[in-house]
Amino acid sequence: MPDKRPADATVTNPVIPGFHPDPSVCRVGDDYYLVCSSFEYFPGIPVFHSRDLVHWTRIGNALDRPGQLRLTGSPSSGGIYAPTLRHHDGRFWLIVTNVADGEGNMLFTATDPAGPWSDPVYLPGVEGIDPDLAWDEDGTCWVTVAGISQVRIDPYTGETFGPPRKLWSGTPGALAPEAPHLYRIGDHWYLLIAEGGTERGHGVSIARGPAPYGPFEPCPANPVLTHRSSDRPVQNTGHADLVQGPDGSWWMVLLGVRPRGGTPGWHVLGRETFLAPVTWVDGWPVVGEVSPDPAAPPWPLVPGPVEAGRDDFDLGELRPYWISVRDRPEELCTTEERAGCLTLRARGDGLDEPNVVFVGRRQQHLACRVRTRIDPAEGRGGLAVRLDEEHHYEIEVSQGEVRVLGRVGPLRTVVGSRPVPAGPVVLGVRVSGTPVRDARTGPDTLTFGVEEADGTFTALGALDGRYLSTEVAGGFTGRVIGMYAASGTVHFDWFDYEPLAP
């Protein structure tokens, strides 16, 4: 059937918006699978499926059992770093670093990427983050890590053979050579890395050699991708992985950010997954433009199911897009206690605590409206926008009062409040772009309030979004919007996430 798209058709980049960094992709037949870092959130490592590299559907989380993922004691922006996903010998392989104490590098396998995934095979002899997994022609398995060094392993037992071997480490003097990926393409082995740090200096460089262990010669055009020192709308481009499209052409998935506001520019959604075309010239990859609206690829597009914005909590378990901070004990979070409700029981004292009982989803749009209907009963809880324990805004209700609170570093304040009748109440937050007035203008404004019985929205406080950005808070994550319990038991009847025009 002929493609009826106009010749100038475009698609939307990022292809996976919101806090989805460090993408790794593999192709199996006509199907593509992709994973991302998840840091301190549980369940860990979201898994996506696509048929066209443009439309991605979340099919699960690889690490969804406490026996697979221990994050207790992990700081925010600790936990799960930079997985690599590969398919070899009829099986999916996933290697990742858990930087929580005593965990280190781990290897998981599955016959179906939607799960279940195995318990971890620990790799105590593999030191370093961002592990890559590759097999050579005789079946030898190699792990390459940030630094850049490499060691041979038995992927079934985790045993290592010999000391780590230093490989090529990128541009001399460049910061943080990391995110290595090895590929056999044509007559060469290619070593793709990120360098320059994951901030504005981020970039992608590549080298090639005759074997997976080198020796490697660098591409004369390195870095093959960077947006440093530019005014392009996508910044921090790096941490890439290569894959072939349905027509045999080459493509790159990578992370990037979309800064907004004045100077220095604040990105609030975290590092997102972008797609870029790749051509080959003289045996080296040439990366095309990473833009918000690139030309559509030349093959038919295959949109998948759209993730619902509203959840009425009518299933026996939470949908895979819901994430919690470090763990999610069943006795503290359930959809089975009250029909059609999510019930949360508090542990700790709210969002300032590392063990907060919180269920949220990634903010994936530059502008959005989020609402939830909460019955606080005898407890205290509400709706929060979280970056970490020291950077979060929330609207909460207890004992007939609604309050809007802001936590920025050591400061915590009540922004607004009002009485409400006993019983359920609809809480909301609207995230909207802020017109740039001068160099100090922040990226967006978060307006918190209460929805009245007639559907009108009463705002109780508006807060500058820059303080919930990586440029202010530091770290590697992005905003997560969700529900929490700060004391007692609270019930949520529904949650609604609605994208708005930016």
Side-chain angles (χ1 to χ4, degrees):
M1 184 175 181
D3 192 340
K4 297 182 180 180
R5 292 176 299 178
D8 59 351
T10 61
V11 296
T12 300
N13 236 353
V15 291
I16 307 180
F19 156 46
H20 294 103
D22 309 325
S24 179
V25 64
C26 73
R27 178 182 179 180
V28 183
D30 295 330
D31 297 286
Y32 297 89
Y33 301 96
L34 184 147
V35 295
C36 298
S37 296
S38 50
F39 295 93
E40 74 266 27
Y41 288 98
F42 180 95
I45 309 184
V47 183
F48 296 87
H49 169 256
S50 177
R51 300 297 296 273
D52 61 11
L53 288 175
V54 172
H55 300 94
W56 293 90
T57 300
R58 191 187 318 264
I59 58 175
N61 296 279
L63 309 186
D64 59 3
R65 307 187 301 274
Q68 296 173 304
L69 180 57
R70 291 186 286 272
L71 295 169
T72 304
S74 173
S76 289
S77 288
I80 293 297
Y81 280 21
T84 293
L85 177 67
R86 295 293 182 255
H87 187 263
H88 174 76
D89 199 23
R91 181 182 299 197
F92 290 90
W93 302 79
L94 181 63
I95 189 170
V96 70
T97 310
N98 184 354
V99 300
D101 290 344
E103 293 296 297
N105 285 302
M106 304 178 291
L107 186 59
F108 302 85
T109 61
T111 55
D112 182 346
W117 286 80
S118 69
D119 287 336
V121 173
Y122 287 94
L123 305 170
V126 178
E127 297 183 0
I129 63 171
D130 299 4
D132 175 71
L133 205 59
W135 286 262
D136 64 20
E137 291 85 348
D138 65 6
T140 301
C141 186
W142 301 93
V143 172
T144 310
V145 297
I148 302 285
S149 64
Q150 184 186 82
V151 67
R152 184 166 66 92
I153 72 163
D154 181 335
Y156 296 94
T157 67
E159 181 182 3
T160 56
F161 304 96
R165 177 193 309 223
K166 281 287 185 181
L167 303 180
W168 173 75
S169 291
T171 304
L175 175 71
E178 58 189 3
H181 287 309
L182 269 172
Y183 317 89
R184 177 63 185 265
I185 302 173
D187 295 331
H188 300 285
W189 282 87
Y190 287 87
L191 174 59
L192 187 76
I193 72 166
E195 60 183 16
T198 195
E199 297 80 29
R200 295 296 193 268
H202 213 195
V204 178
S205 290
I206 196 167
R208 69 187 182 192
Y213 42 81
F216 289 100
E217 59 166 321
C219 174
N222 278 334
V224 294
L225 172 65
T226 186
H227 284 186
R228 63 178 70 124
S229 300
S230 76
D231 62 356
R232 294 176 180 176
V234 181
Q235 290 290 325
N236 301 32
T237 50
H239 203 116
D241 203 1
L242 291 170
V243 67
Q244 284 187 277
D247 63 351
S249 61
W250 284 89
W251 295 77
M252 176 180 283
V253 296
L254 65 142
L255 68 78
V257 305
R258 293 181 283 171
R260 292 292 187 272
T263 298
W266 295 270
H267 76 276
V268 300
L269 304 188
R271 299 170 299 161
E272 308 175 273
T273 291
F274 289 80
L275 181 69
V278 174
T279 56
W280 292 84
V281 178
D282 297 328
W284 294 109
V286 177
V287 184
E289 184 179 4
V290 182
S291 75
D293 54 353
W299 51 81
L301 299 182
V302 188
V306 177
E307 209 159 65
R310 183 182 175 96
D311 194 340
D312 290 297
F313 304 116
D314 50 1
L315 300 180
E317 60 185 13
L318 287 175
R319 290 171 168 83
Y321 57 74
W322 292 113
I323 53 177
S324 298
V325 181
R326 295 182 179 82
D327 65 0
R328 188 189 290 163
E330 292 181 2
E331 66 273 15
L332 304 181
C333 173
T334 179
T335 58
E336 296 184 343
E337 179 170 321
R338 180 184 288 190
C341 284
L342 171 66
T343 298
L344 301 181
R345 288 188 173 82
R347 177 185 60 182
D349 189 31
L351 275 294
D352 291 349
E353 302 296 329
N355 62 348
V356 63
V357 176
F358 172 86
V359 175
R361 60 178 295 168
R362 295 161 173 88
Q363 181 183 334
Q364 292 187 269
H365 301 83
L366 297 170
C368 62
R369 181 177 70 160
V370 180
R371 299 175 301 141
T372 187
R373 187 172 189 263
I374 176 177
D375 180 358
E378 301 300 317
R380 175 167 58 94
L383 177 67
V385 184
R386 179 187 190 273
L387 200 63
D388 60 29
E389 287 81 13
E390 297 181 352
H391 301 85
H392 52 83
Y393 300 155
E394 57 263 283
I395 180 169
E396 69 175 27
V397 58
S398 70
Q399 299 178 343
E401 183 185 43
V402 171
R403 303 189 303 165
V404 177
L405 304 113
R407 169 74 192 271
V408 179
L411 305 177
R412 180 178 173 86
T413 187
V414 176
V415 179
S417 65
R418 63 163 277 185
V420 290
V425 60
V426 176
L427 307 177
V429 57
R430 183 183 179 114
V431 182
S432 54
T434 303
V436 177
R437 298 180 300 276
D438 56 42
R440 301 166 299 163
T441 303
D444 57 5
T445 300
L446 286 75
T447 303
F448 291 83
V450 175
E451 188 173 288
E452 310 292 353
D454 63 0
T456 60
F457 181 74
T458 300
L460 301 182
L463 293 160
D464 189 330
R466 83 182 73 195
Y467 303 109
L468 301 189
S469 72
T470 301
E471 283 78 9
V472 170
F476 304 119
T477 62
R479 289 182 188 165
V480 179
I481 305 179
M483 303 150 287
Y484 70 96
S487 68
T489 300
V490 294
H491 310 278
F492 297 88
D493 184 36
W494 49 262
F495 180 101
D496 188 72
Y497 176 102
E498 179 187 359
L500 301 174

